[in-house]
Amino acid sequence: MENTIPRRVYDFLKEFPPFNLLGRDLLMRISERVLVQYRQPGDIIFRQGDPPNTHIYIVREGAVHLLWEKDGEPALVEQCDEGDVFGIRPLLAEENYALTAKVVEESLIYAINVEGFREVLENNPKVAFYLASTFASGVGENYRRQGKPMLFLDQEKMADVNYPLVEVQSLEKSKDPVTCLPDTFIREAAVIMSRREVGSVIVVDEASRPLGIVTDKDLRSKVATGQVGLEKPVAEIMSSPVITVGPDITVADVQIEMVKNRINHLCITEDGTSASPVIGVLSEHDLMVVQGNNPALLIREIRRCRTGKELRHIRERAEDLMKKYIYQEVAIAFISTVMSEVNDELITQSIKLSQAEMDEEGYERPSAGFCWLALGSEGRQEQLLRTDQDNALIFENVPEADLEPTKKYYLKLAEKATHLLNEVGYDFCPGDMMASNPSWCLSLEQWKAQFSTWIFEPSPKAVMYCTIFFDYRPIYGMKELATALTEHIFENIGGQAIFLGFLAKDALQNPPPLTFFRNFVVENGGEHKDEFDIKARAMMPLADAARVLILDAKVGKINNTFRRFEKLAELEPINKELYEQAADAYEILMRYRALQGLKNKNSGRYFNPSELSKMERVNLRNCFQPIKELQTLLTLRYQLAYLG
Amino acid sequence: MIFNWVTKILGTSRDHPEFWRQYLASFDGTLGKRTPIEEIGFVVFDTETTGLDSRKDRILSIGAVKVQNWQIDLRQSLDCYVQQSYQPVGETIEVHGILPGTHNEYNIDEIEAVKQFVGYCHNSILVGHHVAFDISMVNQVLKGMIGQRLVNKRLDTAALAVRVSEKKDYEQPGTYGLDTLCKKYKIPMSDRHTAAGDAFITAVLLMKLLARLKSRGVKTMGDLLRGPGF
């Protein structure tokens, strides 16, 4: 008969991989054999080096840390939350545990006896594959090796979005490798290369395994210079070892490998290592061919655009490019740099076009030069999707008599430029934080006075402006005006500790994004009821914290939130780990927001947490940890408890 | 010794049916005051009934799980639905949604259900939320069958929760109700108001309460017995 209790275990398990891959009857039978274990913080479920238990485990509620102990120092490899499977070693190998599982929160654990589950593996290759891959990589391991956080771990998810992932097909044609043996004479190799019209030849052993590579460059630098004779074997000039990749590599991977290793050729082997036969070669040229939209190309095209419509078209192509990067899990640092370059160029071109138009209309350019500032997310180089414009304008100090006409000219310019940008797809700022607003189109002197007022008379409104204006970045014009303003700000802040306190307090306005039930805090009412506000709840607290800390450290010119954290990690070794986590978290959040924005065709700011996959929820939740810790750090450092 | 005490009161067991003789024999004295909490076998159970009067009302279902060493083994859970000819009038049907005569395929009669339950419990400590009521329901059947009643030690999770509570006031009515306690101790409440579902929830609650008592030095059956709740 169907028992109520196994049924509830079943209902839980069926939501999580690999159990979601099992048929109903099978999973029900498994559920009937579960042990429900209660564990307290500090309990050890198994210890590194222990012989395997008879069970594998799933967290029903609470949290378990998997720790890797080396020289008595436990390092956190992974946090297992609701639905995570751990301790699967007994299922796959007769080896001792490689990690220690330690309970960190009051937890309920479902333990499943390995006996009987092995047969499940035999009959369900997908389950076996899932477990084997989890086991082999270990999520934590993956995280460290890649250096960059990943949002999606399963390919199926990516297939779901129905996006042409990579141009793997177009890479096919270079899969006819030109090879030679190591004792081939250099002369012969050169003949082969020119006959086959290739820039490189892979040096292989008898089993076709790659030993090294000889490229045009090697011939130029080592042979043509007379350093090595033509009658020597290629082994003398080859670069070794050769960088190898697997056949399922993506364009983005290729790009990253090439940049990372400063090479122009990659060798494709059967299993991606140099221990298997060569099946192809990829050159930078192949890459250029498959990449229609290359950022450098886009930027060159922007400079040729004459209308808002043309610019808009380029921005859309840039977004396609970004989409590819996002889905290929290219590092956010790279994506945001590329997109900022594109944005900056679009803004620059809009200003240039506007100014040219004013010239034609007979406006005379004032003698005082100007600098266009990007504020907010574009100022921080974090704008991936088009959002509202936030900008301001500084012009050089002018004699009192010239102030009005100068300002009038620049307001007109700003009006034209912001309209053009609006056409490109950057909406007007609803709060009118734009250079076309007379309050934000000021001379350097006026700007200095404005910032002094904000710093010396901190009010909630002033703090709000600061959070927007302090992230300014010069885009076009006289960048020295922006530099002078930054210097002024740092001088002022030096004598005004209370101001940083106010900023820090503002950074605590948003409570941590999780309730104690580990659920996302969602909006209570309004248009976005029950949706999670990733910007306000998770990104702004990090951006705000980074701003306060970097201002305090008097580091200018780094606007990007994760770069600010990276800098802070360098400056404060004691909090290095926290800052690094915060930087990683911010990158994940940016990626996530971009994904949501692409999916829902909006700014990606709001989404429903229930639409996330388990993996995504866990990833996001992990991002929230540093927020809490940073807020504690701010509270202590600026003694916010006393500030009231 | 418990066993001696049992035989003293109930006389020799020769007249009893086999299931009851085995039940009594299970009280062999292995559970004592010094038995650590980890080694105590608890049977956490719940009954759904036609009403709240143990003299008149009947059992509709019994659900139970075993807790030992901070663990519930689902292979050993009990979930039986009872065939009743008695037609209910009470309002409890609305609460648990079981109508007498539904679950036909699996139904067993009341006597068989109680026999199974007694065989299941043996000398375990019986635990439930307001367990006295559920025990009296079972006893009512046993009395009719063989003129006997359960002799197990019992533990009420409601009373245990009061004992665990930091504040000794009895704030509001319902503070120690199962729903409120589940919220307080963050126990997900699916399948409320099925006997097995409630038994499972109560078992999780028991473990959470015992853990808190243990941290305050309640480590053996003797320690448990000294306080309220027993």
Side-chain angles (χ1 to χ4, degrees):
Chain A
M1 82 174 269
E2 187 153 292
N3 195 313
T4 315
I5 304 165
R7 175 70 206 197
R8 63 193 284 153
V9 172
Y10 166 88
D11 283 337
F12 175 78
L13 291 180
K14 74 174 165 40
E15 299 296 324
F16 298 99
F19 304 103
N20 56 354
L21 302 170
L22 300 176
R24 191 183 178 286
D25 291 347
L26 180 58
L27 185 54
M28 197 62 209
R29 282 206 302 283
I30 290 171
S31 304
E32 281 163 5
R33 305 187 310 121
V34 158
L35 294 180
V36 181
Q37 302 180 325
Y38 169 82
R39 293 290 179 259
Q40 284 184 281
D43 285 358
I44 301 288
I45 297 174
F46 50 77
R47 224 178 256 287
Q48 186 175 323
D50 281 355
N53 290 344
T54 47
H55 291 80
I56 60 168
Y57 305 92
I58 305 98
V59 181
R60 170 63 183 88
E61 59 164 285
V64 174
H65 277 175
L66 298 184
L67 304 166
W68 186 53
E69 293 180 71
K70 198 187 169 211
D71 311 323
E73 279 284 305
L76 179 63
V77 173
E78 194 184 352
Q79 164 154 330
C80 298
D81 289 315
E82 187 182 312
D84 287 331
V85 178
F86 65 97
I88 55 177
R89 190 161 279 254
L91 205 53
L92 304 162
E94 290 296 327
E95 285 169 32
N96 294 347
Y97 285 110
L99 299 170
T100 294
K102 184 179 182 184
V103 179
V104 291
E105 281 174 24
E106 189 173 44
S107 299
L108 278 185
I109 310 283
Y110 288 167
I112 297 177
N113 199 307
V114 175
E115 291 311 317
F117 201 77
R118 284 212 182 88
E119 81 199 46
V120 172
L121 291 190
E122 281 155 27
N123 300 329
N124 295 272
K126 270 171 120 180
V127 175
F129 179 76
Y130 175 86
L131 289 176
S133 54
T134 324
F135 179 67
S137 66
V139 179
E141 191 64 31
N142 222 339
Y143 190 89
R144 265 204 308 275
R145 195 184 61 235
Q146 306 251 340
K148 290 300 161 217
M150 292 170 52
L151 203 50
F152 295 126
L153 292 178
D154 50 337
Q155 296 288 322
E156 274 181 13
K157 179 73 193 179
M158 298 207 285
D160 276 354
V161 294
N162 198 17
Y163 187 84
L165 261 186
V166 265
E167 296 89 341
V168 174
Q169 283 81 359
S170 14
L171 293 176
E172 295 280 340
K173 56 176 172 280
S174 39
K175 280 189 185 173
D176 178 20
V178 178
T179 60
C180 69
L181 292 169
D183 54 3
T184 311
F185 292 131
I186 293 173
R187 182 195 301 277
E188 281 176 62
V191 170
I192 296 171
M193 282 165 71
S194 59
R195 201 169 48 218
R196 299 280 300 269
E197 294 180 336
V198 291
S200 66
V201 58
I202 301 278
V203 182
V204 295
D205 64 10
E206 275 78 9
S208 279
R209 290 178 299 224
L211 299 170
I213 185 169
V214 174
T215 64
D216 280 344
K217 202 179 144 208
D218 295 317
L219 293 178
R220 279 200 309 275
S221 64
K222 296 171 189 165
V223 183
T225 55
Q227 205 180 323
V228 182
L230 280 170
E231 306 308 326
K232 295 280 186 186
V234 287
E236 290 204 14
I237 58 162
M238 70 181 184
S239 310
S240 180
V242 59
I243 305 298
T244 55
V245 293
D248 51 355
I249 188 141
T250 66
V251 173
D253 289 334
V254 170
Q255 216 167 16
I256 287 170
E257 284 299 322
M258 286 183 176
V259 171
K260 205 170 67 189
N261 297 298
R262 294 169 198 283
I263 50 170
N264 301 319
H265 296 83
L266 285 177
C267 177
I268 306 175
T269 61
E270 270 180 18
D271 69 358
T273 73
S274 57
S276 65
V278 175
I279 54 173
V281 180
L282 277 174
S283 70
E284 201 174 24
H285 176 73
D286 296 328
L287 206 61
M288 296 291 276
V289 173
V290 295
Q291 271 193 312
N293 284 337
N294 133 340
L297 204 89
L298 286 176
I299 286 171
R300 269 204 300 278
E301 282 189 47
I302 290 172
R303 292 181 189 149
R304 277 188 239 121
C305 288
R306 288 291 163 261
T307 67
K309 205 174 148 195
E310 284 169 20
L311 289 170
R312 186 185 184 104
H313 179 65
I314 302 247
R315 172 69 219 208
E316 272 153 18
R317 278 169 57 197
E319 242 157 59
D320 284 343
L321 178 65
M322 180 190 68
K323 218 183 284 185
K324 279 185 208 169
Y325 287 152
I326 291 274
Y327 289 136
Q328 290 175 22
E329 297 182 355
V330 175
I332 281 287
F334 176 78
I335 304 178
S336 59
T337 306
V338 168
M339 292 311 284
S340 294
E341 291 292 329
V342 171
N343 284 335
D344 289 1
E345 203 54 46
L346 286 167
I347 296 169
T348 301
Q349 188 66 7
S350 298
I351 298 167
K352 282 183 181 167
L353 288 175
S354 302
Q355 213 167 11
E357 199 178 290
M358 285 176 74
D359 291 347
E360 271 175 38
E361 289 168 8
Y363 287 89
E364 197 182 328
R365 294 196 188 193
S367 55
F370 76 105
C371 180
W372 185 277
L373 303 178
L375 313 173
S377 64
E378 173 58 9
R380 290 194 303 272
Q381 294 177 287
E382 291 166 6
Q383 195 177 83
L384 298 185
L385 297 161
R386 280 171 285 192
T387 55
D388 302 340
Q389 328 183 9
D390 288 313
N391 43 50
L393 192 147
I394 316 179
F395 52 87
E396 279 183 295
N397 292 332
V398 289
E400 186 66 34
D402 293 344
L403 186 60
E404 214 201 295
T406 306
K407 180 159 179 164
K408 207 172 157 196
Y409 174 87
Y410 283 120
L411 277 173
K412 184 74 192 168
L413 174 63
E415 190 197 310
K416 282 180 179 288
T418 51
H419 272 86
L420 198 50
L421 285 169
N422 189 51
E423 253 182 84
V424 179
Y426 302 92
D427 289 344
F428 290 122
C429 172
D432 206 12
M433 299 282 190
M434 294 191 292
S436 53
N437 179 338
S439 307
W440 316 129
C441 179
L442 305 171
S443 71
L444 177 59
E445 204 172 283
Q446 289 171 323
W447 269 118
K448 284 183 177 175
Q450 177 65 77
F451 272 97
S452 295
T453 312
W454 285 334
I455 292 167
F456 289 103
E457 293 160 33
S459 67
K461 185 135 188 162
V463 168
M464 195 269 284
Y465 284 135
C466 289
T467 60
I468 298 165
F469 282 96
F470 273 136
D471 294 332
Y472 66 76
R473 190 166 57 89
I475 302 293
Y476 178 70
M478 302 173 65
K479 305 210 168 157
E480 56 269 36
L481 293 174
T483 313
L485 184 58
T486 305
E487 278 167 17
H488 170 80
I489 290 169
F490 285 144
E491 271 168 37
N492 277 208
I493 289 176
Q496 192 58 3
I498 188 93
F499 171 71
L500 288 173
F502 269 92
L503 267 192
K505 190 158 171 274
D506 184 65
L508 303 182
Q509 290 305 303
N510 284 305
L514 290 178
T515 65
F516 61 89
F517 276 113
R518 310 180 133 259
N519 287 323
F520 290 82
V521 171
V522 293
E523 303 309 303
N524 280 329
E527 192 191 339
H528 298 286
K529 188 173 183 308
D530 294 334
E531 288 185 325
F532 180 70
D533 182 346
I534 194 172
K535 182 185 171 193
R537 298 281 180 192
M539 298 178 76
M540 289 322 288
L542 287 169
D544 289 345
R547 184 184 309 108
V548 179
L549 293 164
I550 210 84
L551 278 173
D552 199 1
K554 294 206 173 45
V555 177
K557 289 193 178 159
I558 303 180
N559 282 32
N560 189 285
T561 300
F562 54 82
R563 295 219 170 87
R564 279 176 171 169
F565 279 122
E566 281 162 9
K567 182 71 186 175
L568 287 165
E570 201 181 302
L571 295 173
E572 284 179 44
I574 193 161
N575 291 315
K576 187 166 178 275
E577 203 175 327
L578 173 58
Y579 293 147
E580 281 173 355
Q581 280 171 7
D584 279 355
Y586 202 78
E587 288 191 37
I588 294 184
L589 293 167
M590 277 183 74
R591 182 188 297 279
Y592 199 74
R593 185 174 170 187
L595 273 168
Q596 289 297 312
L598 291 171
K599 198 168 81 184
N600 303 325
K601 301 213 182 329
N602 56 26
S603 72
R605 176 169 175 177
Y606 298 96
F607 57 85
N608 193 334
S610 63
E611 283 167 13
L612 304 183
S613 77
K614 156 79 183 153
M615 201 62 226
E616 294 164 335
R617 277 205 304 269
V618 170
N619 263 316
L620 274 178
R621 273 199 318 224
N622 288 344
C623 296
F624 301 156
Q625 192 55 35
I627 299 179
K628 217 167 91 190
E629 289 176 36
L630 274 172
Q631 293 192 338
T632 311
L633 182 143
L634 290 180
T635 309
L636 289 173
R637 180 166 300 178
Y638 300 101
Q639 307 196 331
L640 297 180
Y642 307 108
L643 210 61
Chain B
M1 293 305 262
I2 292 164
F3 181 66
N4 297 340
W5 169 78
V6 166
T7 40
K8 219 176 282 170
I9 291 184
L10 303 174
T12 52
S13 53
R14 259 176 236 111
D15 308 333
H16 295 315
E18 177 63 19
F19 86 95
W20 193 251
R21 280 210 301 274
Q22 280 181 12
Y23 168 70
L24 292 179
S26 71
F27 290 85
D28 54 3
T30 46
L31 274 184
K33 281 191 174 168
R34 276 190 222 122
T35 308
I37 284 182
E38 283 69 24
E39 288 172 26
I40 303 174
F42 298 95
V43 164
V44 186
F45 81 111
D46 185 52
T47 59
E48 298 302 338
T49 59
T50 55
L52 299 173
D53 183 341
S54 59
R55 284 165 305 172
K56 267 188 1 218
D57 285 305
R58 296 301 182 88
I59 295 173
L60 292 171
S61 64
I62 304 176
V65 290
K66 290 189 176 177
V67 171
Q68 192 164 28
N69 193 19
W70 310 109
Q71 173 169 299
I72 304 166
D73 186 346
L74 293 195
R75 283 172 302 188
Q76 297 179 44
S77 50
L78 183 81
D79 191 3
C80 53
Y81 293 90
V82 179
Q83 176 75 60
Q84 289 291 0
S85 50
Y86 170 88
Q87 287 302 313
V89 261
E91 57 285 356
T92 57
I93 301 300
E94 284 165 33
V95 177
H96 51 61
I98 301 174
L99 281 168
T102 54
H103 293 87
N104 277 329
E105 294 169 64
Y106 311 121
N107 286 355
I108 50 177
D109 68 27
E110 195 174 59
I111 287 173
E112 183 54 32
V114 166
K115 266 186 174 173
Q116 273 188 20
F117 180 68
V118 167
Y120 179 82
C121 295
H122 278 181
N123 65 341
S124 308
I125 292 182
L126 296 184
V127 186
H129 208 69
H130 303 301
V131 72
F133 170 74
D134 301 281
I135 289 179
S136 69
M137 287 303 300
V138 174
N139 280 342
Q140 195 63 25
V141 180
L142 279 173
K143 197 172 147 200
M145 266 166 80
I146 50 172
Q148 298 290 326
R149 53 205 341 265
L150 293 169
V151 296
N152 303 64
K153 289 282 173 205
R154 59 188 69 175
L155 190 56
D156 184 350
T157 40
L160 207 57
V162 176
R163 187 170 163 190
V164 167
S165 176
E166 299 290 339
K167 290 185 265 176
K168 287 297 173 207
D169 50 353
Y170 288 76
E171 301 102 320
Q172 280 164 15
T175 304
Y176 298 102
L178 192 52
D179 287 313
T180 316
L181 289 171
C182 281
K183 279 197 198 98
K184 180 172 176 184
Y185 292 103
K186 296 178 206 162
I187 301 167
M189 289 184 291
S190 52
D191 303 323
R192 275 287 277 122
H193 307 303
T194 66
D198 276 4
F200 182 74
I201 288 167
T202 309
V204 174
L205 177 64
L206 170 72
M207 293 194 284
K208 292 198 170 191
L209 293 173
L210 285 178
R212 281 159 180 76
L213 283 178
K214 195 182 171 190
S215 69
R216 293 199 220 150
V218 176
K219 297 206 161 84
T220 64
M221 183 148 122
D223 300 333
L224 251 185
L225 282 164
R226 267 195 286 280
F230 252 110

